[in-house]
Amino acid sequence: MQFNFFFPIFLLFSIFWHTSEAKDNINGLDYLNSIRGKVGLVPLTSNKALIRAATSHAKYLTRQQVNSHYETTGYKGFSGKTPSDRVIQAGYHSRVVMENISVNGRNVVAAIDNLMSAIYHRFTFLTMDKDEIGEGISILPTRRVKVTTAYVYDLGFSGLKNICKKYFSMEPGMRYIKNICRKSTKVIPEYMYIDALNTLKKQNEKIVLYPYDTQENISPAFFIENPHPLPGSKVSGFPVSVSFNDAYVQNVSLISFRLFDSTGHEIKQRKILTYKNDIHHKITQYQFAFMPLKRLDYSSTYKAVFEAIVDGEKIHKTWSFSTIHPQKKMYKITKKKTILSVEKGTKILLYFEPKSKRDILKNIKYKGNLQIKYIDPNTLEVTLPNKVSRKIYSISESTRKIILKLL
């Protein structure tokens, strides 16, 4: 007999930004499943034990004001050190789980959108070997803390439930694995685990593209996730990804991965992330990501072109997607000083075009009765007063200043 340990999977820390434009009245699981459905993946079903585990951890994060997959024994709200510990404590049948976290999101849609913009987190949500999920949410009534909201998603695999109920006597020549079921020492035949996984995987498409073809309202930017696939960068473009189903595919050799803007110009400043150059070793040999090193443009359509040799056969994929088209008047800020004439009582967007990979807004100062909120770390929404005692207002950050003249 051969005996193998199996180490449960849990992935990634949360990302650190949120859009404030997402809708509030959409169910999170329905929204996530709508994305999975459009890329050819089976829907995730809600599981009560996973919900309990995710909810307990979300409450822990807001109570302790931390952002982590790990909990500390003895702290209030402790329900298990790791995601695997927590799902077992909550009554789940298996230790094989994945976890995504987003903090300070405005709502469930914003939280999911943020996680989909971060490439490692995206691949977790687009996994082909999970079919159950628990969503946990904790929201604090005050905004005067570091962590105001926490969204936790625990993903599991229902196919292990019946396998983990059975008893297996170990036979010579048979490969076994453990640390999978509720009881960590329980052993199961390796072939049964692999067969169960492949049964689920074969319900999914052979190739998954994201953004999917003709998708709209894609964020132009990606900021930071932890671990970060673009070390040293604070702002870059939205990643484009291709992943293959290893239940159908054995070998993939990349030929090219290209992205073109709406004028047909190729985006040359990019990194093609693969399992060979991923310094964090999160990408598999079946996953590829085009990482633009600069923000994409608002209100633009992009075309992706992917070529590879798959099990000896050349494949070619071409598809397009469009970035967010702001509904409010937007001004692109590129100069040190900008003077704008704007209507009183209106809302405008100020997009500070990044001058480098580290250029995000900081030290925002303004004079006058303005209401300002972030759309993202390069974009502000400004509400101009209706009743004015002055006709000129100013907004400044570390290197740029805007003068607003009210009409």
Side-chain angles (χ1 to χ4, degrees):
M1 72 187 70
Q2 186 167 348
F3 185 77
N4 293 333
F5 283 92
F6 187 91
F7 296 95
I9 302 170
F10 48 94
L11 293 182
L12 317 172
F13 291 86
S14 74
I15 57 176
F16 301 104
W17 197 254
H18 65 279
T19 175
S20 58
E21 297 261 327
K23 295 179 180 178
D24 293 295
N25 58 352
I26 300 178
N27 176 276
L29 180 55
D30 289 344
Y31 182 62
L32 178 57
N33 277 336
S34 71
I35 294 172
R36 285 178 59 91
K38 287 170 182 173
V39 300
L41 298 177
V42 298
L44 301 170
T45 58
S46 182
N47 178 275
K48 291 181 179 179
L50 293 178
I51 291 173
R52 286 194 292 269
T55 300
S56 67
H57 190 53
K59 291 179 178 179
Y60 177 90
L61 296 179
T62 54
R63 172 177 283 180
Q64 298 300 333
Q65 289 294 289
V66 294
N67 178 18
S68 173
H69 287 295
Y70 297 94
E71 295 185 7
T72 302
T73 305
Y75 280 35
K76 287 185 178 181
F78 176 83
S79 60
K81 181 179 179 181
T82 68
S84 293
D85 295 334
R86 293 191 291 273
V87 299
I88 294 300
Q89 177 66 27
Y92 196 59
H93 58 267
S94 169
R95 299 172 180 271
V96 185
V97 294
M98 291 178 168
E99 182 171 272
N100 264 351
I101 298 172
S102 179
V103 300
N104 294 337
R106 178 172 175 262
N107 52 37
V108 293
V109 173
I112 291 169
D113 282 345
N114 289 337
L115 292 165
M116 292 299 292
S117 75
I119 193 63
Y120 297 139
H121 294 74
R122 177 191 303 175
F123 283 137
T124 297
F125 272 157
L126 299 185
T127 184
M128 302 179 188
D129 61 4
K130 300 290 183 287
D131 61 357
E132 293 185 310
I133 192 171
E135 178 186 39
I137 303 172
S138 180
I139 301 174
L140 295 183
T142 177
R143 307 297 294 182
R144 297 181 179 180
V145 291
K146 181 175 67 174
V147 178
T148 59
T149 63
Y151 297 85
V152 179
Y153 304 89
D154 288 333
L155 285 75
F157 173 38
S158 66
L160 288 173
K161 187 173 184 178
N162 289 332
I163 296 175
C164 285
K165 286 181 179 179
K166 298 178 181 179
Y167 171 77
F168 301 97
S169 58
M170 299 179 70
E171 301 177 7
M174 183 79 73
R175 294 169 64 94
Y176 293 86
I177 51 179
K178 72 174 186 177
N179 207 30
I180 283 181
C181 300
R182 184 173 178 80
K183 186 177 181 181
S184 61
T185 56
K186 182 180 182 64
V187 298
I188 64 174
E190 185 181 60
Y191 82 90
M192 293 188 70
Y193 175 71
I194 294 174
D195 286 350
L197 278 182
N198 282 335
T199 297
L200 173 59
K201 290 177 181 179
K202 287 180 179 179
Q203 298 176 47
N204 297 295
E205 289 292 329
K206 180 178 179 180
I207 305 174
V208 170
L209 312 175
Y210 196 85
Y212 53 81
D213 191 25
T214 71
Q215 187 170 357
E216 299 177 339
N217 294 316
I218 291 296
S219 169
F222 161 57
F223 295 98
I224 298 174
E225 66 179 318
N226 188 359
H228 193 28
L230 297 175
S233 172
K234 292 185 177 181
V235 55
S236 58
F238 192 88
V240 183
S241 64
V242 177
S243 51
F244 290 84
N245 189 337
D246 65 1
Y248 294 112
V249 170
Q250 292 184 333
N251 298 297
V252 182
S253 179
L254 179 66
I255 298 174
S256 66
F257 199 169
R258 306 168 74 189
L259 187 66
F260 300 85
D261 66 19
S262 55
T263 66
H265 288 96
E266 183 174 357
I267 308 298
K268 296 282 187 141
Q269 292 183 282
R270 84 290 185 270
K271 178 177 182 179
I272 308 300
L273 191 66
T274 72
Y275 82 103
K276 291 181 179 180
N277 63 15
D278 177 20
I279 60 174
H280 302 296
H281 308 293
K282 300 292 184 184
I283 299 291
T284 74
Q285 61 183 310
Y286 302 105
Q287 296 170 334
F288 304 86
F290 185 105
M291 311 285 295
L293 298 184
K294 292 185 175 182
R295 278 186 68 126
L296 304 181
D297 293 326
Y298 283 105
S299 306
S300 294
T301 298
Y302 289 85
K303 182 178 74 172
V305 181
F306 179 90
E307 291 184 302
I309 302 296
V310 180
D311 293 336
E313 202 173 309
K314 185 176 180 179
I315 69 157
H316 178 100
K317 292 285 182 180
T318 300
W319 71 103
S320 63
F321 61 91
S322 300
T323 54
I324 293 169
H325 180 72
Q327 300 302 305
K328 303 177 183 70
K329 177 69 174 179
M330 173 175 282
Y331 298 91
K332 182 187 287 189
I333 309 302
T334 59
K335 300 176 182 179
K336 288 185 177 181
K337 184 176 181 180
T338 302
I339 301 175
L340 301 174
S341 295
V342 293
E343 293 283 346
K344 66 179 181 179
T346 60
K347 292 184 179 181
I348 62 170
L349 299 179
L350 301 178
Y351 167 48
F352 294 75
E353 186 176 52
K355 294 175 289 186
S356 73
K357 66 180 183 180
R358 302 181 65 84
D359 185 15
I360 59 175
L361 292 171
K362 48 189 177 293
N363 301 322
I364 295 294
K365 298 177 182 179
Y366 58 95
K367 293 181 180 180
N369 186 26
L370 302 175
Q371 294 181 31
I372 294 179
K373 66 179 181 180
Y374 282 89
I375 297 300
D376 67 36
N378 298 122
T379 311
L380 299 177
E381 179 187 271
V382 180
T383 302
L384 303 164
N386 200 12
K387 296 180 180 180
V388 297
S389 57
R390 57 196 298 175
K391 291 189 176 181
I392 296 179
Y393 295 81
S394 67
I395 302 173
S396 64
E397 57 103 37
S398 56
T399 61
R400 284 165 285 197
K401 184 175 183 178
I402 299 94
I403 305 298
L404 301 175
K405 292 184 176 181
L406 268 61
L407 301 176

